[in-house]
Amino acid sequence: RSSTNHDGDNAGAGDGGRARRTFSQYYKMEHRKAPDFKWWQIGVLSYQSLGIIYGDLGTSPLYVFSTVTLPDPGEEDFLGILSLILWTLTLIGLLKYTFVVLHADDHGEGGTFALYSLLRQHVNFSGSMPMPVTRLASDINLKFHSKKKKLPSKMREFLERSTTAQSVITYVVLIATSMVMGDGALTPAISVLSAVQGIQSRSPKITQDHVVILSVIILIILFLFENYGTSKVSFAFSPIMLLWFAFVSLIGLYNIIKYYPPVLKAVSPLHIITFFARNKRKAWEQLGAIVLCITGAEAMFADLGHFNKSSIQMGFSAVVYPSMILAYSGQAAFLIKNPSKLSTTFYSSTPEPLFWPMFIIATLSAIVASQALISASFSIIRQSIALGCFPRVTMKHTSEKYEGQVYSPEVNYFLMITCIVITYGFKGGPQIGQAFGTVVIWVMLFTTTLMTVVMVVIWQTNIIAVGLFFALFFCIEGIYMTSLLNKVLQGGWVPFANTAFFLAITMSWTYGRRKKNEYDAANLVGKQEFIKIVTGSSQVPGICIFCTDLMNGIPPIVRHYVKHTGSIREVMVFVTVRILPVRSVLPEECFLVDKLDHVGVYRCILQYGYMDNHNMDDDDFIVLVVASLKQIADNDEILLLDSAFTNGTSFVIGRTILKMSITRNCFKRFVINNLYRFLQKNFRSNMSSLKIAPGKTLQVGMHYEI
């Protein structure tokens, strides 16, 4: 899969077997089996994951019990709440995510887009989202048909035939992705506010405004620290989280022994039944608070590209899960004897001599918690760009070892501003918890739905097992969701507003790119027309490199270029850039070349690793291109290439402006003529990462009326 936003098309005229065979050989390297990690390497990655992935999930004891609002809780109520927490952590955190969802990766990447990408690789989606073309048409057909033979025919035929089912899956992915991106602003706000609020118990002079100001300062420092990269951040944060898990485990164990040793009898689900029988509607309303115990579970999957499955599984099973069991059990034991302390559970249950050490560790851990969803936001937007459904932003790879570790300054600062606004707006009230829980449960519901499709279509899991998986988790998460919908007016509207913002960008860009792809496919230069253009135009000495997103076919830019210049260079090369999921591409594997249907006309697929320098600014690059072309040229063509090289090189880049005609739907006109055009003008172009000398570059503007 390429992390460059390519435009797709269906034509493949003029692509010969030589480039195809070369590409097929490289395809094996690109999709090679993941390297085996030694146990000590998995241990190191697991240690690092504590500081990146588990901050959000691990710091949930700060606010779960405090968000509960029972009027007169007793022992059975606290045992019922604890039982709900234990079973939620076990079923959703341990069973669903750790042992099922993490296996649905797309070449090491996780998240909802990884699930969608897997489906697109196995099912031919006829529309809805423009999947970027990353290999030649004939290779796609061979690979695609070899995969289809393994699918249950009825399921495959239904998905390929039903545009409605395809659209539903696509919209579910886009909404879930937008929610996770919005969650990147909510997580830091609630985590830092919950940790810092404990300081109010030390002095009556410390007001909520002081807490908000301190929280904002901490958040600004956190976001400014992001540019150092996941690896450096994790090594700084992981010791903090290790201390946090040790402290909450020991304090939890202390509270269990001191206040109520038999508290772990809450493992029996009978206490859940008793809790609902006693409190009825009030018990149902508390589910919105209880679900906060599983916040951050989605980060295990979304941040998969930063680590690997084994390290994430080890971190959760060996450290996070047992620590959370002890922490929540200790808090429940304390509350059974001190029910009046419910609103300040975390700091009230902390032994007095440990308050200040715990306050410092909790504040630092809350900062770490924010990191999980910030890193996930970077990963998800990177995947969105790779799939062609989000405008290009700056993506900096912060590690030479792990391709998934990325940082985006634009996304980072946007999240920082949004987070500060949310922190100041809610001021630490209970409404921020309602907002946070709404995001969490909706994303989990979407993941359950997509996982069910993946299990049927790709894994071909036994239908009974699939039915049990879907019924169990959809029911659990659905019940939580119904409780949170009751809180929409009390703060739950915020994640929907964030989602609407990101969804507007995603949908506008996706729709615009699809229309552009359709126009390109309908207006490709045909074989006969191309020969006529070449033979009918005056030839100028030198080499002309057309930079295009199209992997197959002759792009419309050629027709437009010749129309306005009346000439062509004696050698034309159509260059498409691909970014591969490897650190660096060897020089001999960088260029995949092929001859087209006329002498002096070639196609070149230029392949870079994610840490390679995309420099096309000097003569060394042209020398390498010409050397690659000579390998497939005959004697006369070699002489032509040498002659053209001495006469200089120019680069042609197209800039497309879409305009929807006045006869079309007014809403669609607004999306294309306003939203999509705004995104085009204000975000980076596909060629922005390439270093091309301005003096050698000609930009050709093309106006598409659709």
Side-chain angles (χ1 to χ4, degrees):
R1 192 181 68 253
S2 166
S3 56
T4 303
N5 188 10
H6 297 296
D7 286 333
D9 67 274
N10 300 320
D15 294 312
R18 187 179 290 104
R20 184 162 62 252
R21 286 193 297 274
T22 307
F23 184 87
S24 297
Q25 293 168 0
Y26 197 87
Y27 182 85
K28 294 177 182 178
M29 186 191 83
E30 180 186 348
H31 295 273
R32 65 196 182 283
K33 183 181 178 181
D36 292 327
F37 286 87
K38 297 179 181 178
W39 279 108
W40 69 267
Q41 291 174 312
I42 294 174
V44 170
L45 285 174
S46 180
Y47 168 74
Q48 286 184 304
S49 72
L50 296 178
I52 297 297
I53 294 176
Y54 295 116
D56 185 12
L57 185 63
T59 55
S60 55
L62 280 168
Y63 43 76
V64 173
F65 273 107
S66 302
T67 313
V68 174
T69 56
L70 282 175
D72 187 23
E75 177 182 331
E76 283 300 326
D77 297 319
F78 291 121
L79 288 174
I81 293 171
L82 178 60
S83 186
L84 281 166
I85 291 172
L86 297 181
W87 280 103
T88 301
L89 279 170
T90 302
L91 292 175
I92 296 180
L94 189 65
L95 181 59
K96 176 185 170 182
Y97 279 96
T98 306
F99 293 119
V100 180
V101 174
L102 282 179
H103 290 281
D105 68 297
D106 178 28
H107 300 106
E109 291 288 348
T112 48
F113 262 119
L115 297 176
Y116 185 72
S117 179
L118 280 174
L119 289 172
R120 292 295 296 259
Q121 292 170 37
H122 290 77
V123 179
N124 182 22
F125 277 46
S126 58
S128 65
M129 184 185 291
M131 192 70 168
V133 175
T134 58
R135 46 189 178 272
L136 301 179
S138 50
D139 284 298
I140 294 173
N141 292 335
L142 289 171
K143 188 70 180 175
F144 182 74
H145 287 299
S146 67
K147 287 184 176 183
K148 287 207 296 185
K149 290 178 182 178
K150 300 178 182 179
L151 300 179
S153 58
K154 290 184 179 180
M155 174 60 73
R156 184 185 72 241
E157 289 172 1
F158 169 74
L159 289 177
E160 293 182 346
R161 184 176 63 251
S162 175
T163 55
T164 301
Q166 294 176 18
S167 297
V168 168
I169 291 174
T170 300
Y171 292 136
V172 163
V173 169
L174 295 179
I175 293 171
T177 302
S178 300
M179 280 191 159
V180 173
M181 289 189 284
D183 198 11
L186 278 168
T187 300
I190 188 173
S191 299
V192 174
L193 274 171
S194 299
V196 175
Q197 275 179 331
I199 201 172
Q200 284 185 281
S201 63
R202 298 291 97 179
S203 171
K205 295 181 179 180
I206 301 175
T207 66
Q208 188 63 28
D209 288 337
H210 294 134
V211 171
V212 171
I213 292 171
L214 180 58
S215 298
V216 168
I217 292 171
I218 292 172
L219 289 168
I220 291 173
I221 294 172
L222 166 68
F223 280 101
L224 293 178
F225 196 64
E226 286 299 318
N227 66 321
Y228 289 100
T230 301
S231 183
K232 293 183 178 66
V233 169
S234 64
F235 268 114
F237 285 173
S238 295
I240 296 171
M241 288 310 301
L242 204 56
L243 271 176
W244 165 263
F245 287 121
F247 265 74
V248 297
S249 298
L250 292 173
I251 291 173
L253 187 60
Y254 168 81
N255 286 332
I256 292 171
I257 296 171
K258 180 178 180 180
Y259 293 106
Y260 195 74
V263 71
L264 285 174
K265 66 183 180 180
V267 72
S268 170
L270 292 175
H271 291 285
I272 298 175
I273 298 172
T274 304
F275 175 66
F276 277 95
R278 278 170 53 88
N279 296 280
K280 299 179 174 63
R281 179 181 174 85
K282 201 67 180 176
W284 171 72
E285 291 176 351
Q286 303 316 306
L287 293 177
I290 295 169
V291 76
L292 296 178
C293 73
I294 202 63
T295 56
E298 188 68 26
M300 284 196 284
F301 189 39
D303 280 334
L304 182 57
H306 291 252
F307 301 98
N308 65 18
K309 278 178 283 200
S310 299
S311 62
I312 294 174
Q313 290 170 333
M314 179 186 289
F316 185 83
S317 304
V319 179
V320 180
Y321 180 71
S323 298
M324 292 299 95
I325 297 298
L326 287 173
Y328 285 117
S329 298
Q331 289 182 0
F334 171 82
L335 289 171
I336 287 172
K337 300 299 183 182
N338 302 275
S340 62
K341 304 289 186 181
L342 179 60
S343 61
T344 57
T345 300
F346 182 77
Y347 285 110
S348 295
S349 64
T350 301
E352 185 63 26
L354 294 178
F355 177 86
W356 284 111
M358 199 65 212
F359 175 79
I360 294 170
I361 294 173
T363 303
L364 293 174
S365 299
I367 295 172
V368 178
S370 308
Q371 178 65 37
L373 268 297
I374 295 172
S375 298
S377 297
F378 295 155
S379 296
I380 287 170
I381 289 180
R382 173 178 169 272
Q383 290 175 319
S384 303
I385 293 170
L387 288 175
C389 61
F390 199 87
R392 178 168 293 278
V393 295
T394 305
M395 278 291 166
K396 297 181 179 179
H397 287 270
T398 58
S399 171
E400 293 189 5
K401 294 181 180 179
Y402 306 107
E403 191 240 350
Q405 296 187 4
V406 293
Y407 163 73
S408 172
E410 297 98 327
V411 175
N412 185 60
Y413 293 128
F414 173 81
L415 290 176
M416 180 179 73
I417 294 170
T418 307
C419 186
I420 291 171
V421 170
I422 290 172
T423 303
Y424 184 79
F426 282 110
K427 294 185 183 296
Q431 293 87 356
I432 194 170
Q434 315 292 357
F436 192 35
T438 304
V439 170
V440 171
I441 206 63
W442 275 99
V443 173
M444 288 182 176
L445 274 168
F446 291 144
T447 299
T448 297
T449 304
L450 291 171
M451 273 301 305
T452 302
V453 180
V454 168
M455 291 169 76
V456 173
V457 172
I458 302 174
W459 294 355
Q460 299 181 42
T461 308
N462 182 281
I463 195 65
I464 296 176
V466 174
L468 288 173
F469 173 86
F470 180 77
L472 175 63
F473 293 108
F474 195 85
C475 286
I476 294 173
E477 293 156 1
I479 292 171
Y480 275 123
M481 182 267 294
T482 60
S483 175
L484 285 162
L485 284 179
N486 193 45
K487 309 292 184 181
V488 169
L489 297 179
Q490 303 171 28
W493 59 270
V494 173
F496 291 110
N498 286 344
T499 300
F501 174 79
F502 282 107
L503 195 59
I505 294 176
T506 303
M507 294 297 292
S508 300
W509 187 257
T510 301
Y511 182 68
R513 297 297 288 180
R514 188 179 66 178
K515 288 299 179 183
K516 180 181 180 296
N517 292 350
E518 290 173 357
Y519 186 95
D520 283 337
N523 291 273
L524 288 172
V525 179
K527 180 178 179 180
Q528 297 302 321
E529 182 187 0
F530 180 64
I531 294 174
K532 185 178 179 181
I533 288 174
V534 173
T535 56
S537 304
S538 59
Q539 293 197 348
V540 179
I543 300 173
C544 181
I545 293 180
F546 287 90
C547 297
T548 175
D549 290 337
L550 296 176
M551 293 280 291
N552 301 286
I554 307 299
I557 187 177
V558 174
R559 186 189 297 115
H560 198 72
Y561 173 79
V562 173
K563 177 182 177 181
H564 289 276
T565 62
S567 63
I568 58 171
R569 292 290 185 112
E570 57 186 344
V571 173
M572 289 192 296
V573 185
F574 297 101
V575 173
T576 300
V577 177
R578 303 179 65 237
I579 310 301
L580 302 177
V582 293
R583 188 182 70 83
S584 183
V585 175
L586 297 174
E588 62 268 22
E589 296 170 330
C590 187
F591 299 93
L592 303 182
V593 295
D594 189 24
K595 292 190 289 186
L596 297 186
D597 295 308
H598 194 276
V599 175
V601 182
Y602 305 89
R603 180 182 304 282
C604 175
I605 300 173
L606 181 58
Q607 304 188 129
Y608 287 120
Y610 57 85
M611 294 299 291
D612 285 334
N613 185 17
H614 305 174
N615 189 9
M616 301 168 68
D617 194 10
D618 52 26
D619 289 338
D620 290 341
F621 171 76
I622 306 301
V623 169
L624 291 172
V625 172
V626 171
S628 299
L629 296 177
K630 284 182 178 180
Q631 295 178 8
I632 62 171
D634 55 32
N635 291 333
D636 291 338
E637 290 174 326
I638 291 175
L639 295 175
L640 177 63
L641 288 168
D642 288 333
S643 172
F645 175 71
T646 60
N647 286 289
T649 304
S650 63
F651 293 83
V652 176
I653 298 175
R655 179 168 180 80
T656 303
I657 298 174
L658 288 184
K659 183 178 180 181
M660 188 164 279
S661 66
I662 197 170
T663 59
R664 305 295 291 274
N665 180 285
C666 62
F667 178 73
K668 293 180 179 179
R669 287 207 314 273
F670 174 76
V671 171
I672 293 294
N673 298 345
N674 297 96
L675 294 181
Y676 180 71
R677 190 175 299 177
F678 173 83
L679 296 173
Q680 267 192 318
K681 289 180 179 179
N682 292 279
F683 284 80
R684 292 163 60 88
S685 68
N686 293 348
M687 299 297 171
S688 58
S689 62
L690 302 179
K691 298 178 181 178
I692 304 176
K696 297 180 180 179
T697 305
L698 174 65
Q699 188 174 73
V700 178
M702 293 176 289
H703 189 274
Y704 289 179
E705 183 155 350
I706 56 178

